[in-house]
Amino acid sequence: MLTFWQNYPEIQAKLAAVQDLMAERLKINNSEIQDALREFAACGGKMIRPALFFLFAGLIDNKDKDDEKLVKIAASLELLHSATLIHDDIIDDSPLRRGLPSIETQFGKDVAVYTGDFVYTVYFELLCETMATTPFLVHNAKSMKKILQGELTQMQSAFQTDISVRKYLKAISGKTAELLSLSCLEGVYFAGGDKKMQYSARKTGLAIGCAFQIYDDILNFTVDLSAADKPILTDFRQGIYTLPLLFAKEADKEIILPYLEKSDKLTREECLKLAHLVDELGGMSAALKMANSLTDIALEEITKLPDTQNKQILAEVTKLLLQRNY
Amino acid sequence: MLTFWQNYPEIQAKLAAVQDLMAERLKINNSEIQDALREFAACGGKMIRPALFFLFAGLIDNKDKDDEKLVKIAASLELLHSATLIHDDIIDDSPLRRGLPSIETQFGKDVAVYTGDFVYTVYFELLCETMATTPFLVHNAKSMKKILQGELTQMQSAFQTDISVRKYLKAISGKTAELLSLSCLEGVYFAGGDKKMQYSARKTGLAIGCAFQIYDDILNFTVDLSAADKPILTDFRQGIYTLPLLFAKEADKEIILPYLEKSDKLTREECLKLAHLVDELGGMSAALKMANSLTDIALEEITKLPDTQNKQILAEVTKLLLQRNY
């Protein structure tokens, strides 16, 4: 999926180096699992986390940058993300990930548990090699904790009909925004950027992360009627109540609540009806408005960055990532 | 289970401090999981890893020892062990752990995956706080990798009828011995012991760890006929072929192989018959012999340590741990 970056060849090249390093480090004494992990790493999605890391690092004009070290740190971000994905797929029983069968589907739950753990150790090794003498070792431990707490909060709130917008925002800032924010922050820090830029990076990452997740959640309520065989409202049916629904519920509790009370038993017809209701009650537009504001916060923060080519790219990529097809 | 240490009040007190620290650190924004984790930590088994750590640290006469730091490192060892246990219970579908329902039984597979991950982060935090500037950060990452590779090797070798004694020994040195060995080594290192003692510590831990696992595996083939309702040969029926069986197979492949080929379908009668055969073919005595030699290696290595009270305790505890009721 590095084609997402085809107009930015410098970033694309750096991401390819990250993929190579990951393939090199994901060595395990079981060739089947190793091949699956490497394939997983090579498909790598858009690699947003390492990309943001490099884009922020590239803002700083510092001739002493250690490129090899930067590639390792970028890889650590992608590995932490990969480990959580492998474990997420166990939780969600996802058959596919990045268009490939998930590790769980290929090898079963049991192997997926240890394989995720193994990816954590490779992540951990890279941290040890690159940031042992910096505050970022502790910072990573804390971020990892926040990500897990976000996941646990979401899981424990599943099917809770009284979940609030506030709790939703807390869960997504842990689950998604924390790591994007860390990626931006580490980019500035390890390229030698000052405190002010570190602050901007963290804020931008947080806003992009939250907006990204909200758009994703909006997408989960967007039903493509031409694809009749595609599962719809998958989050909702797993009891994950996201922003469009929560806003619709705020608008008219009595209409929405009956759907919540049987979320895992809805027929396709009822799902379609609910998607329609959520839109009609203004849930979609309210969620979209919030995501747009967050995008604006990110774009506004980006204007404060030093005038470089990367600043321009960051603004473009933020729009590309966030302003999808609505 | 700290009663195991009741004749060694100094160690018992230190282990209680480790339990307190673990309870303090296992904070999570879900009170149910937090309570379960704390109960899990408080039951703590024999806490062999932190105990070995303190026993080795206590060999060194060094007034600059930082007791608080030592408690943190001891806790990191127990936490790494706990995280792997929580994930192991998912793999094994174990209903009980330390006499309590396992995290999986209490909260389901999904919560258990993230809870184990969460314990890894607390482990990781303690490492960052105590050993960021030492080679032991990387050492821990490597140990964690070995432990997981040991587990994966064992899992992937399940039901493989051609598994060799060599492969078995490799799996147990990863799975069990690595962490015991690290515990002893870290005890010496962080108390300021020299290279020679570090070598002895590592060797002793490795021998104790392998012996410990072999005795455990022998126990799994020891059938208590008075407990008719207790499940027997649990490892074997999960396709985990351990030393007594492998030696019996070496003695007479034709007798043992048919049992291997239907290991998950054996009746209780057939299990009893197999346990009897393994004993008759000398599998039990050969495994016992190997465990005893490893115990002797550990005890011999302990004699080389400085003459202190802890040296005496280490020898006693090694015997207590390893020379069980045979």
Side-chain angles (χ1 to χ4, degrees), chain A residues 177-203:
Chain A
E178 178 61 28
L179 190 50
L180 264 75
S181 171
L182 182 69
S183 304
C184 300
L185 175 60
E186 285 190 348
V188 170
Y189 179 89
F190 288 100
D194 62 19
K195 285 270 174 205
K196 205 180 132 211
M197 273 185 73
Q198 289 175 33
Y199 173 83
S200 271
R202 189 149 180 71
K203 193 171 165 188

Coordinates of all heavy atoms in Angstrom, one line a residue, chain A residues 177-203:
Chain A
A177 N -5.4 7.7 18.8 CA -4.7 9.0 18.7 C -3.3 9.0 19.5 O -2.4 9.6 19.0 CB -5.6 10.1 19.3
E178 N -3.3 8.2 20.5 CA -2.0 8.1 21.3 C -0.8 7.8 20.5 O 0.2 8.5 20.5 CB -2.2 7.1 22.5 CG -0.9 7.0 23.4 CD -0.5 8.3 24.1 OE1 -1.4 9.1 24.3 OE2 0.7 8.4 24.3
L179 N -0.9 6.8 19.7 CA 0.2 6.3 18.9 C 0.5 7.3 17.7 O 1.7 7.5 17.4 CB 0.0 4.9 18.4 CG 1.2 4.2 17.7 CD1 2.4 4.3 18.6 CD2 0.9 2.8 17.4
L180 N -0.5 7.9 17.1 CA -0.2 8.9 16.1 C 0.5 10.1 16.7 O 1.4 10.6 16.1 CB -1.5 9.3 15.4 CG -1.8 8.5 14.1 CD1 -2.2 7.1 14.4 CD2 -2.8 9.2 13.2
S181 N 0.0 10.5 17.8 CA 0.6 11.6 18.5 C 2.1 11.3 18.9 O 3.0 12.1 18.7 CB -0.2 11.8 19.8 OG 0.4 12.8 20.6
L182 N 2.3 10.1 19.4 CA 3.7 9.7 19.7 C 4.6 9.7 18.5 O 5.8 10.1 18.5 CB 3.7 8.3 20.4 CG 5.1 7.8 20.8 CD1 5.6 8.5 22.0 CD2 5.0 6.3 21.2
S183 N 4.0 9.3 17.4 CA 4.8 9.2 16.1 C 5.3 10.6 15.7 O 6.4 10.8 15.4 CB 3.9 8.6 15.0 OG 3.4 7.4 15.3
C184 N 4.4 11.6 15.8 CA 4.7 13.0 15.4 C 5.8 13.5 16.4 O 6.8 14.1 16.0 CB 3.5 13.9 15.4 SG 2.2 13.3 14.3
L185 N 5.5 13.3 17.7 CA 6.4 13.8 18.7 C 7.8 13.2 18.6 O 8.8 13.9 18.7 CB 5.8 13.5 20.1 CG 6.6 13.8 21.3 CD1 6.9 15.3 21.4 CD2 5.9 13.4 22.6
E186 N 7.9 11.9 18.4 CA 9.2 11.3 18.3 C 9.9 11.8 17.1 O 11.2 11.9 17.1 CB 9.1 9.7 18.3 CG 8.7 9.1 19.6 CD 8.8 7.6 19.7 OE1 8.9 7.0 18.6 OE2 8.8 7.1 20.8
G187 N 9.2 12.1 16.0 CA 9.8 12.6 14.8 C 10.6 13.9 15.1 O 11.8 14.0 14.8
V188 N 9.9 14.8 15.8 CA 10.5 16.1 16.1 C 11.7 15.9 17.1 O 12.8 16.4 16.9 CB 9.5 17.1 16.8 CG1 10.2 18.3 17.3 CG2 8.5 17.5 15.7
Y189 N 11.4 15.1 18.2 CA 12.4 14.9 19.2 C 13.7 14.3 18.7 O 14.8 14.8 18.9 CB 11.8 14.1 20.3 CG 12.8 13.8 21.5 CD1 12.9 14.7 22.6 CD2 13.7 12.7 21.4 CE1 13.8 14.5 23.6 CE2 14.6 12.5 22.5 CZ 14.7 13.4 23.5 OH 15.6 13.2 24.5
F190 N 13.6 13.2 17.9 CA 14.8 12.5 17.5 C 15.5 13.2 16.3 O 16.6 12.8 16.0 CB 14.5 11.0 17.2 CG 14.3 10.3 18.5 CD1 13.0 10.0 19.0 CD2 15.3 9.9 19.3 CE1 12.8 9.3 20.2 CE2 15.1 9.3 20.5 CZ 13.9 9.0 20.9
A191 N 14.8 14.2 15.7 CA 15.5 15.0 14.7 C 16.1 16.2 15.4 O 16.8 17.0 14.7 CB 14.6 15.4 13.6
G192 N 15.9 16.4 16.7 CA 16.5 17.5 17.4 C 15.7 18.8 17.4 O 16.2 19.9 17.7
G193 N 14.4 18.6 17.3 CA 13.5 19.8 17.3 C 13.3 20.3 18.8 O 13.4 19.5 19.7
D194 N 12.9 21.6 18.9 CA 12.8 22.2 20.2 C 11.4 21.8 20.9 O 10.5 21.3 20.3 CB 13.0 23.7 20.2 CG 12.0 24.4 19.3 OD1 10.9 23.8 19.1 OD2 12.3 25.5 18.9
K195 N 11.3 22.3 22.1 CA 10.1 22.0 22.9 C 8.8 22.5 22.2 O 7.8 21.8 22.3 CB 10.2 22.7 24.3 CG 11.1 22.1 25.3 CD 10.4 21.0 26.1 CE 11.4 20.3 27.0 NZ 10.9 18.9 27.4
K196 N 8.9 23.7 21.6 CA 7.7 24.3 21.0 C 7.2 23.4 19.9 O 6.0 23.1 19.7 CB 8.0 25.7 20.5 CG 6.8 26.6 20.4 CD 7.2 28.0 19.9 CE 6.3 28.4 18.8 NZ 6.9 29.3 17.8
M197 N 8.2 23.0 19.1 CA 7.8 22.1 17.9 C 7.3 20.7 18.5 O 6.4 20.1 17.9 CB 9.0 21.9 17.0 CG 9.0 22.9 15.9 SD 10.4 22.5 14.8 CE 9.6 21.2 13.9
Q198 N 7.9 20.3 19.5 CA 7.4 19.0 20.1 C 6.0 19.1 20.5 O 5.1 18.2 20.3 CB 8.3 18.6 21.3 CG 9.7 18.2 21.0 CD 10.6 17.9 22.2 OE1 10.1 17.5 23.2 NE2 11.9 18.2 22.1
Y199 N 5.6 20.3 21.1 CA 4.2 20.5 21.6 C 3.3 20.5 20.3 O 2.3 19.8 20.4 CB 4.2 21.8 22.3 CG 2.7 22.2 22.7 CD1 2.1 21.7 23.8 CD2 2.0 23.1 21.8 CE1 0.8 22.0 24.1 CE2 0.7 23.4 22.1 CZ 0.1 22.9 23.3 OH -1.2 23.2 23.6
S200 N 3.7 21.2 19.3 CA 2.9 21.2 18.1 C 2.7 19.9 17.5 O 1.6 19.5 17.0 CB 3.6 22.1 17.0 OG 3.2 23.4 17.1
A201 N 3.8 19.1 17.5 CA 3.7 17.7 16.9 C 2.7 16.9 17.6 O 1.9 16.2 17.0 CB 5.1 17.1 16.9
R202 N 2.8 16.9 19.0 CA 2.0 16.1 19.8 C 0.5 16.5 19.6 O -0.4 15.6 19.4 CB 2.3 16.3 21.3 CG 1.7 15.4 22.2 CD 2.5 15.1 23.4 NE 1.8 14.1 24.3 CZ 1.6 12.9 24.0 NH1 2.0 12.3 22.9 NH2 0.9 12.1 24.9
K203 N 0.2 17.8 19.5 CA -1.1 18.3 19.3 C -1.7 17.9 18.0 O -2.8 17.5 17.8 CB -1.1 19.8 19.5 CG -2.5 20.4 19.6 CD -2.4 21.9 20.0 CE -3.8 22.6 19.8 NZ -3.7 24.0 19.9

